[in-house]
Amino acid sequence: MMKIVPASEPLVLLECLVAGTSHRPNLEKYEPKLKIGQSLHLTREPDSKYDDWAVQVHTAPATDPANVWLGYLPESRNETVARLLDAGRSLTARLNHKSWETDWLHLDIEVLLHE
């Protein structure tokens, strides 16, 4: 049976891992502060030399001094989100799961489209 989502609820566009967490400095120190269900911010990186559709995942707006850059949306799954951000749509993410796998921080998120 299909669930009808009220218009006030954001639409889940994507569920994915955050890529590149092993390349972000100091995540092992910050990880205990990450809370399941917390809101995360998405920032386009249009000038990335590695990925035309790069989307960064942050704990707060990039201009916030308390912000921590966690990584990226996976390259194989980011084009739609990047296009929506480029079009000025309101998107955020939400942390669903976190765990350490050896020295890699595994972060599962949902990308949310807001009205």
XYZ file of all heavy atoms in Angstrom, residues 19 49 60-61 82 95 107:
47
model
N 30.038 9.752 1.104
C 31.318 9.319 0.532
C 32.446 10.216 1.034
O 32.240 11.387 1.320
C 31.243 9.389 -0.995
N 36.984 19.523 -9.630
C 37.716 18.996 -10.777
C 37.517 17.491 -10.937
O 37.933 16.910 -11.919
C 39.195 19.365 -10.703
C 39.922 18.867 -9.484
C 41.346 19.378 -9.469
C 42.016 19.045 -8.143
N 43.353 19.589 -8.053
N 26.393 21.980 9.390
C 25.772 23.300 9.530
C 26.052 24.065 8.237
O 26.824 23.585 7.396
C 26.363 24.040 10.731
N 25.446 25.231 8.055
C 25.798 26.012 6.865
C 27.314 26.218 6.787
O 27.982 26.360 7.818
C 25.061 27.333 7.074
C 23.901 26.980 7.956
C 24.418 25.892 8.867
N 22.130 17.641 -7.235
C 22.899 18.801 -7.688
C 22.052 19.706 -8.575
O 22.067 20.938 -8.420
C 24.150 18.343 -8.435
N 20.646 12.495 9.212
C 21.488 11.350 9.564
C 20.617 10.207 10.070
O 19.843 10.383 11.013
C 22.507 11.755 10.637
C 23.489 10.682 11.077
C 24.364 10.230 9.914
C 24.350 11.191 12.221
N 28.384 6.689 7.422
C 27.246 7.561 7.687
C 26.173 7.314 6.638
O 26.416 7.487 5.444
C 27.667 9.041 7.631
C 28.730 9.498 8.627
C 29.131 10.934 8.336
C 28.213 9.352 10.056
